[in-house]
Amino acid sequence: ERFLITERIFPTEKGNNRMKARKKDVKQCLIYDDTASVMSEAFQRIQVNLDFASVDEKYKVISCTSASTNEGKTTVLVNLANVYALKGFKVLIVDLDLRAPVVHRYFGIPNEKGIVDYLVDKASKEEIVKKGVRENLDVITRGTRTPFPTKVLESQRLDDFLKEVRDEYDYIFVDCTPVLLFPDPIIISKFVDAFVLVASVRISKKNEIKDAMKMIRSNGLNVVGSVINKVPVKKRDRYYYLSLIH
C-alpha cells in the first residue's frame, strides 16, 4: 500500500499567526502569496509525490478527507490546488462538503449560486463557476443549503457535470465531508480518482484513524496517501518533515 510523504505542514510554535487564524479568516492559510515558505515547500513535495503516485494513470479528480472534523482537510485541498495552479495547470475546486462548506472563505468569495443551485436547475454552469479566483484557478462553491445532501451527491446530473468539466480542466479538486461522519466520500468515490487522508496530530485519535482506514478499504476508495499536519516541533527544526510511510 502506497502513501505520500507525510508532511509537517502547519507548525505549532507559540505565537504562530497561522494557527491563531480564526475560522472566519481561514484565507490566511493560503500559500498563494508566500510560495517560498516552509509550508509552501511542503505542499510542493506532496504535489510531486502525488504525481509520482499517478505515473501510470493520471489522477485528474482528487479529494481530501479525514476521519473527523477540524483536521485540516480543506486547507490541504485548497493549497494543493493552488500549487497545481501556480505550476500553470488549469484547476477547478468544487465544494462538495454540502453540510459544512468553507471553500469560499479561503478566497473571500460569496457562497452564492453554487453546485447545489446548478443541480436543482436554479443556476447555469456559467453562473456557478467563479472564474479566475486565482491565476489558473476557478472555484465552484456549494451555494444554497440543501436538506438532502446525499440525494444531491447521488444524482446523475452531478455525475454528468463532473464528466463535462473533467475535459475542461487539467485537475479538479473536490472537497467532501469526513469519512467517519457521513457517507459522502463513499458516494463521490465513483468519480474521484484519488483520495488523500488528512490527519492532525493535535486532534486526530489513533482509533478514529484506524476506523477511517477500515471503512476506506471496505468501500474500495482509492486512497493514495496521507498528510499529517499540526505536528508540534521546535523552531530550530522548522525544516523537519516526517519520513515516507509504506
Side-chain angles (χ1 to χ4, degrees), residues 90-132:
K90 189 176 182 183
V91 177
L92 173 68
I93 298 176
V94 184
D95 195 346
L96 287 185
D97 187 343
L98 304 185
R99 303 166 195 272
V102 293
V103 167
H104 60 286
R105 293 177 178 168
Y106 285 81
F107 300 100
I109 58 178
N111 185 25
E112 299 171 355
K113 289 192 175 181
I115 188 66
V116 171
D117 302 275
Y118 172 82
L119 296 176
V120 297
D121 272 331
K122 294 292 179 65
S124 66
K125 177 184 172 184
E126 290 71 26
E127 289 178 299
I128 68 168
V129 179
K130 279 73 173 177
K131 295 278 189 180

Side-chain angles (χ1 to χ4, degrees), residues 137-192:
L137 180 62
D138 299 343
V139 174
I140 298 177
T141 62
R142 180 199 67 179
T144 302
R145 184 178 181 275
T146 173
F148 308 109
T150 300
K151 286 188 176 182
V152 169
L153 295 175
E154 290 175 336
S155 68
Q156 183 60 46
R157 187 163 190 191
L158 175 60
D159 201 11
D160 293 339
F161 175 79
L162 289 170
K163 286 177 181 176
E164 181 181 341
V165 295
R166 192 181 178 104
D167 295 329
E168 300 172 5
Y169 291 87
D170 296 311
Y171 292 95
I172 301 171
F173 287 84
V174 179
D175 197 17
C176 67
T177 60
V179 70
L180 289 185
L181 300 184
F182 303 102
D184 303 13
I186 298 167
I187 295 170
I188 71 170
S189 65
K190 61 184 177 181
F191 48 72
V192 172

Side-chain angles (χ1 to χ4, degrees), residues 2 11 24 31 73-74 101 121 148 157 171 201 209 215 226 228 239-240 245:
R2 179 171 50 192
K24 65 181 180 180
I31 64 169
K73 65 174 180 60
T74 305
D121 272 331
F148 308 109
R157 187 163 190 191
Y171 292 95
V201 166
I209 296 174
M215 181 174 290
S226 62
I228 298 176
Y239 293 106
Y240 171 78
I245 297 178

